Every structure is written in structure tokens, then in C-alpha cells.
Amino acid sequence: MLFMKFFRTVSIATMLMLSSSISFASGEIVMGDQGAEIAEVQQQLVQRGYDVMADGDFGPATVDAIRSFQETQGIEADGMIDSTTFKLLIGRDMPEITHGANYIGRRIVNTAHQYLGVPYVFGGNSPRTGLDCSAYVKLVYSQVGIELPRTADAQYTRGTPVSVTDLIPGDAVFFQTYAPGASHVGIYIGDGNFIHASSSRGVTVSSLSAAYYSSHYLGARRMINQH
């Protein structure tokens, strides 16, 4: 109950402050991004006959349209808007795109969900054969360019401490389970939930307010500023 109260008290103003506190320059626009540049790209796609809405929200329909356009141009069809794709569509160089912490957090969460159902294997390092909790978190973060140590206790020494009231999607959450200190780790995905490699269920989503996890909760770290 205490955890649920905490999550209800996080204000929109606090979230906006957090989302603008960290920024990164990126050479590509990907699913989940929003903004005027995306709306401009979508307008060009509409004019070329693609079935998208020019709403500035880079969703699955826009990804499909971009991928189809890239195929017609003979370039890598990855569904992302890089400088080449942008120039072919708009006719000018792509401006520098700056992303806040929420953008990086969305990429972490989206990547984390790709491994749902992967079995748990103690000491496992491969999504093909199984992962343990810290290997899973290390893998997800590495795919957005953030390198972490292999074990949960070492990961707990990285990043910036974050209170439970200030969690944003993409933060790492830690638990003290079978040993003193950080012995289990997952990734916060929002609404009081986190995704992790559970020893009993494999990669799954759980609630921080569940009795077991709330009683074993140790703390959280924001790794985004390790980028």
C-alpha cells in the first residue's frame, strides 16, 4: 500500500522536470519519438501515398511507411529516420535531434519487452538459452548504448540514486533477496510495474507493490546519465 501511495503522488510537473533534466544528441529518429520533425516527415509520406497521420507521433504505422519508403530507395529498410532517409524525404539535411530522459527510457522499456518469456537460467548470458536478472538488465541497457557491470551488486554502484517517488521508465530497481545487498534487479516500466528475469517465471512483468517485492525493495538507480 505504501508503494501505491508513492506512485499516486508523483505529479505531472515532477515528470516534466525529470524528462528535461538530461538530454542526448542522436543521429536518428525512432519509434516512440514525437515532434515537429516527425510531423513534417509524415506529411511527406502522406503526399507520397502512404497511409499515415501527420500527428507528430512516430508509431507503428509510420515505422511501416518509412520501411516501405526505404525499400523503394534501395537503402537499409530499418524503419528509422536517419540523415539519409530524412534528406530523401524532405530534401534537406536532418537537424540535430536532442532527446530527453523520457526518450531514452522509452527505448530501454521497448527493448526490455522484446525478451518477455525468455527463461531464467542462473548465470545465463544468452536470450536464446536463458538469462539471469543482472545479465538481462545488462543486455537491455547495452542495446541502447549504456554499458553496465555483469552482477546486480556491481550495477547498484552505478548511476544516480533515485527515490521511489521519482522513478521514471528505464530506471533500474534493486532488491535484497537471497543475500545482503543488491541481489536482484529489474527495469521500471511505469505505473508501479517493473520487468525482470524472475527465477520462477523468466522475463516477466511484476508490481513493485506486490508483498514480496515491496518488502525486499532496496533502491533504484538512473543509468541514463551513464550514456
Side-chain angles (χ1 to χ4, degrees):
M1 293 299 294
L2 180 61
F3 272 76
M4 293 305 293
K5 182 178 179 182
F6 279 151
F7 293 124
R8 285 196 297 265
T9 59
V10 178
S11 67
I12 293 175
T14 300
M15 293 298 291
L16 289 173
M17 178 183 68
L18 289 168
S19 68
S20 62
S21 62
I22 308 169
S23 62
F24 304 96
S26 173
E28 60 191 27
I29 304 172
V30 299
M31 188 169 72
D33 284 356
Q34 297 175 325
E37 295 89 356
I38 297 167
E40 188 176 9
V41 166
Q42 290 168 327
Q43 289 171 359
Q44 289 297 320
L45 290 169
V46 170
Q47 291 179 15
R48 294 170 183 265
Y50 293 97
D51 185 18
V52 298
M53 292 182 61
D55 55 7
D57 188 356
F58 198 156
T62 302
V63 172
D64 290 343
I66 289 295
R67 188 176 289 117
S68 178
F69 171 77
Q70 290 168 328
E71 289 174 350
T72 68
Q73 300 298 309
I75 59 177
E76 182 180 2
D78 56 12
M80 298 185 293
I81 305 171
D82 59 8
S83 58
T84 300
T85 302
F86 188 91
K87 190 164 187 176
L88 286 170
L89 271 169
I90 306 300
R92 67 173 190 275
D93 292 337
M94 186 170 75
E96 180 176 318
I97 307 297
T98 300
H99 301 296
N102 278 354
Y103 163 81
I104 304 298
R106 285 197 304 272
R107 291 196 65 182
I108 293 169
V109 170
N110 288 341
T111 302
H113 276 87
Q114 294 175 15
Y115 299 101
L116 278 170
V118 169
Y120 178 92
V121 174
F122 184 77
N125 287 297
S126 169
R128 291 186 296 275
T129 58
L131 298 163
D132 64 20
C133 65
S134 56
Y136 168 64
V137 169
K138 176 178 171 61
L139 173 65
V140 170
Y141 275 100
S142 71
Q143 293 189 357
V144 298
I146 300 172
E147 295 302 326
L148 294 180
R150 172 62 178 81
T151 62
D153 59 342
Q155 290 170 1
Y156 191 57
T157 68
R158 298 296 181 90
T160 304
V162 182
S163 71
V164 70
T165 57
D166 290 335
L167 286 171
I168 62 172
D171 288 340
V173 289
F174 294 85
F175 306 85
Q176 182 171 283
T177 55
Y178 63 86
S183 51
H184 187 64
V185 60
I187 298 169
Y188 184 68
I189 61 173
D191 297 324
N193 298 315
F194 70 105
I195 189 169
H196 61 130
S198 162
S199 59
S200 60
R201 299 165 59 192
V203 177
T204 188
V205 173
S206 300
S207 172
L208 285 174
S209 63
Y212 179 81
Y213 294 112
S214 63
S215 63
H216 289 81
Y217 185 78
L218 183 63
R221 297 276 170 160
R222 183 159 301 147
M223 307 297 186
I224 294 172
N225 59 356
Q226 300 298 295
H227 195 72

